[in-house]
Amino acid sequence: FRSILFPNNLPLWMCINEPYSLMSLLIPGLKGLGNDIDVFLRLLIDELKELWEDGVCTYDASTKENFQMRAAVLWTIHDFPTYAVISGWSTKGNLACPCCHNETTHCRLRNGYKICYMGHRRFLALDHKWRNKKSQFNGKKERKTAPKRLSGDDVLKQIRPLKPIIFGKGQKKQFLEGHGQFHNWKKHSIFFELPYWRTLLLRHNLDVMHVEKNIFDSVIGTIMNIKDKTKDSLSTRLDLKEMGIRHTLHPIEVNGKIELPPACYTLSNDEKRAICLWLKNLKFPDGYSANLSRCVNIEERKISGMKTHDCHVFLERLLPLAVRDFLPKNVSDALSELSNFFKELCSKVLRVDDLDRLETQIAITLCKLEQNFPPSFFDVMVHLAIHLSWEAKVAGLV
């Protein structure tokens, strides 16, 4: 585990470069520490409190004078599992979304034994026609409104009954009454010891690249029907049947065998081979084509082994071109909108008006995906895309 501080009062092209990044903490080991991470964070928090309250005498090379330097943490950013360890909100179970908190819309799939997070119609306008649609979504009308984010004071009020953590091996985890039903808190975040922490609009920033990587894996695994990667299976179709939606996709019995009707979001073997061949022959001036070629297997008609940056490039640049001639227009348009959302969100320049538009558009895009893709497709990583525009408005460039 590494903790790296970036000085955000420097220009962007400087603060994210190696000479200006400060590694404040390094914890060796192969396994996550869980709540015991606070033992190591204690030293960091003590120094941050000193930087805020008293400051540190620092030499200014430009003026050749000493000054009292003060500093504050604006937000933390990490992958989703670490989000739970740092924030104290468990990112598993029914209430996995820390932004929607106890208002997270969830549904447990009985056959797939998974939890899906489909209710994105609540983020639409109250008079939107899709709110009254039933069979095209989860079989129900949508009357809920978008959840409001918890302020720092709201969080402190909810976690007040939690007892202090007892560190070390063999200690039993404490669970506040109503865990998994009314809240997902499992500990006090040590960052609330900072005097200003409760006043911040954004305390923990979602890692856009991590979210994007997981969404890409779900999309490419499903449309190419990659074994152990696809979100479409017999249990998925049985869940559709139990929910009473997408009747054309329900399993059918033919000569004593159960068959799955072809889905609009799945490519045929010939189409997968054509896409793989097209990707294999693509040429890029920066040498990216060599990385892409290693991930494309024409014989097995699949794409695998892509690293985070590869998924970033493929989702934003190549996916719309790859599927537009093979998938139905309603499916390819929804995937193109998803691709364009991440492309604009990761731009070098962001405007508030554009982010407001993206915040509205991503709700519509996710609803379009809900009309075509199975419920199992909508894990918590797909759902988190709904919150990325708001966080960009607060935190700035991705």
Side-chain angles (χ1 to χ4, degrees), residues 79-103:
D79 61 22
F80 206 49
T82 310
Y83 194 116
V85 178
I86 300 297
S87 69
W89 180 276
S90 175
T91 54
K92 298 178 181 179
N94 295 338
L95 308 179
C97 178
C99 305
C100 295
H101 48 93
N102 63 333
E103 295 186 46

Side-chain angles (χ1 to χ4, degrees), residues 65-79:
E65 296 178 351
N66 290 332
F67 71 100
Q68 201 71 3
M69 182 185 71
R70 299 177 186 271
V73 178
L74 296 179
W75 53 78
T76 67
I77 181 168
H78 24 62
D79 61 22

Side-chain angles (χ1 to χ4, degrees), residues 344-345 347-359 389 392-393 396-397:
E344 290 195 54
L345 187 69
S347 299
K348 294 182 179 180
V349 177
L350 290 177
R351 297 180 177 84
V352 175
D353 291 344
D354 292 336
L355 290 173
D356 288 336
R357 175 178 53 79
L358 288 178
E359 192 170 8
S389 299
K393 281 194 290 185
L397 296 177

